[in-house]
Amino acid sequence: MAEDTKLIDSAEIEEMQDRIEALKSEEAMDAGVLDGYLTATALNPAKPSEEDVLPFVFSASGDPEALPDDERLLELIRMRMREIKAALNAGGGLDPVIFPLVDDEGKEVTNEEGIEAVVPWAAGFMMGATQWPDEVTESDATQKALIPIAARMAAEDDELEADAEAVYQAAKNLCPPAKDLGEALYQMVESVFRLKDLNVPNEPIRREAPRVGRNDPCPCGSGKKFKQCCGKKA
C-alpha cells in the first residue's frame, strides 16, 4: 500500500499518545480528543487545510508556533487524517480512537460504566464542530445529527452537564441511552455519517466527454460509425 494511504495501526496510535505526552503541554490534545477533532474537521464544508488544522491540536488558539519539533508525531497525525477521510468517503470503516476504562484486574470495562471512555473523542469532535461555518452548525438538520455526540459528552462529564442540559434533555427523546460501550460507539459513528451526508456529500462522477452514440462517427477518426469501429463488440 502506498505511503500516503497507509493505515495507522494500534501500535502507532500508542506511539502518537506517547509522543503527545512527552511534549508535557497542557494545551496539546491527547490521542482520543485529537481523533474526534480530526473527524469533525474532515466534515467541515470549508475544507480546511492541514496547515489550518494542525496548530489547534497543540494550541487552543491555533497558534502555528505551537507546532512541535517532532516530525514523526506530525506524520502520524497526518496519516490518521487521511485514514479518517478515506473511511468517510467510503461510507464505512470508521473506527474512533477510544481508550477503554479498565477494572482492578486490568480488564476493559465495556458495559454501561465503560461508556465514559467515549467522552474525550466526543469532546474533540465538538471542538472541531465549532469551526464549521455558522450556517451549517445553526441548521436544524445538523443540530439533530450532532445530538448523540454532544449529549454523550454532556451525559458522561459532570462538569459539562449543567451547561449542556438542553442538549442532554433533547437527546433522551431523540437518541435512546446506550446500554454499553459498543452501542455508544455505534450511535456516535452513525451520527458522523449522517453529518457527512449533510456537510460534505460525495460528489457524483461526471463524464467529461459527451457519450458517443452507436451510430455516431467513431471518435478515433476512422470515419466509421462507432458501432462498427471502437464500439464494436468482440
Side-chain angles (χ1 to χ4, degrees):
M1 183 176 290
E3 179 63 25
D4 62 347
T5 57
K6 180 181 182 296
L7 301 181
I8 188 168
D9 58 31
S10 58
E12 288 168 323
I13 293 293
E14 292 289 347
E15 179 187 357
M16 181 194 298
Q17 178 64 16
D18 290 343
R19 288 179 176 273
I20 292 172
E21 291 177 355
L23 298 176
K24 299 186 183 304
S25 167
E26 294 184 358
E27 294 193 43
M29 299 178 182
D30 70 22
V33 176
L34 166 63
D35 200 67
Y37 174 73
L38 294 181
T39 303
T41 59
L43 297 177
N44 190 335
K47 298 182 179 180
S49 66
E50 291 182 357
E51 289 72 21
D52 295 325
V53 171
L54 288 174
F56 286 96
V57 174
F58 305 98
S59 164
S61 63
D63 182 4
E65 296 297 321
L67 288 176
D69 187 20
D70 185 340
E71 286 302 321
R72 173 59 177 168
L73 173 56
L74 296 178
E75 175 192 7
L76 289 169
I77 294 174
R78 291 188 179 102
M79 285 169 58
R80 182 56 180 162
M81 290 174 71
R82 291 191 290 268
E83 184 176 21
I84 290 170
K85 289 179 180 179
L88 293 174
N89 288 334
L94 181 66
D95 188 13
V97 171
I98 301 294
F99 296 106
L101 305 180
V102 296
D103 59 21
D104 294 338
E105 298 178 355
K107 295 181 180 179
E108 293 185 0
V109 180
T110 59
N111 59 14
E112 186 176 2
E113 293 181 359
I115 295 176
E116 184 180 344
V118 307
V119 172
W121 190 95
F125 189 94
M126 296 309 295
M127 290 178 194
T130 63
Q131 297 175 358
W132 296 348
D134 289 344
E135 63 269 20
V136 174
T137 55
E138 291 173 1
S139 76
D140 290 341
T142 296
Q143 291 183 14
K144 288 180 180 179
L146 273 171
I147 281 176
I149 298 174
R152 182 58 56 203
M153 182 179 67
E156 302 298 334
D157 192 320
D158 293 338
E159 295 181 0
L160 292 170
E161 187 169 349
D163 294 335
E165 184 66 23
V167 175
Y168 181 43
Q169 292 299 329
K172 290 198 296 185
N173 295 325
L174 298 175
C175 179
K179 65 178 183 295
D180 55 29
L181 177 58
E183 188 171 352
L185 283 170
Y186 177 84
Q187 290 176 354
M188 293 199 311
V189 170
E190 189 177 42
S191 292
V192 167
F193 282 104
R194 284 204 299 272
L195 290 162
K196 168 70 170 61
D197 290 340
L198 289 169
N199 291 8
V200 284
N202 289 345
E203 297 181 0
I205 297 175
R206 302 183 184 278
R207 182 183 294 273
E208 295 183 1
R211 184 183 296 275
V212 179
R214 286 176 52 76
N215 291 314
D216 291 339
C218 188
C220 74
S222 67
K224 298 180 180 179
K225 292 183 178 180
F226 179 65
K227 68 181 179 181
Q228 296 172 336
C229 190
C230 295
K232 188 176 182 180
K233 294 183 178 180

